[in-house]
């Protein structure tokens, strides 16, 4: 993949994701995703590699077939050889969905 960082031409991402979807009832669905990825940057003036780990869990409730709501939590942890790019994030999402 290309990268917009100066001095870096591209990076190679290698990883795995495991997704799970379980429908508890006609209206309630549980989803989960577990991911692990390593990014190796080439052409950088400083050797840089990163490890990204993420976990996402959520529930979707359908009031009727075409209308529902999703509640989701995501945790993301990026470690990097360059401290500026390392971070941890907790994200909560609430979405209302209508299909036409």
């Amino acid at each position: 993949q290309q990268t917009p960082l100066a001095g870096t031409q591209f990076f190679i991402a290698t990883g795995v994701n495991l997704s799970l979807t379980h429908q508890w009832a006609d209206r309630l669905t549980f989803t989960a995703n577990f991911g692990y990825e390593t990014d190796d940057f080439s052409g950088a003036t400083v050797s840089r590699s990163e490890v990204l780990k993420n976990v996402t869990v959520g529930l979707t409730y359908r009031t009727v077939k075409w209308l529902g709501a999703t509640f989701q939590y995501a945790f993301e942890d990026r470690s990097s050889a360059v401290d500026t790019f390392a971070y941890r994030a907790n994200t909560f999402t609430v979405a209302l969905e209508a299909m036409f």
Side-chain angles (χ1 to χ4, degrees):
Q1 297 183 23
Q2 293 182 342
T3 177
L5 299 174
T8 303
Q9 297 173 356
F10 64 91
F11 71 97
I12 297 173
T14 306
V16 63
N17 276 302
L18 175 64
S19 294
L20 169 72
T21 301
H22 179 70
Q23 190 166 352
W24 276 336
D26 288 341
R27 297 179 184 215
L28 190 62
T29 303
F30 171 78
T31 58
N33 185 72
F34 306 94
Y36 181 86
E37 178 180 308
T38 59
D39 298 338
D40 292 315
F41 293 80
S42 74
T45 54
V46 175
S47 176
R48 182 173 158 211
S49 64
E50 298 180 348
V51 174
L52 174 65
K53 296 171 269 189
N54 62 53
V55 175
T56 304
V57 292
L59 285 173
T60 299
Y61 179 77
R62 296 251 171 245
T63 55
V64 291
K65 190 174 185 177
W66 55 271
L67 182 65
T70 298
F71 307 94
Q72 189 176 66
Y73 167 74
F75 173 75
E76 189 171 271
D77 179 26
R78 180 180 292 272
S79 60
S80 177
V82 180
D83 289 339
T84 306
F85 299 103
Y87 67 87
R88 284 188 175 171
N90 291 290
T91 307
F92 295 90
T93 305
V94 176
L96 299 176
E97 304 164 340
M99 294 185 280
F100 298 97

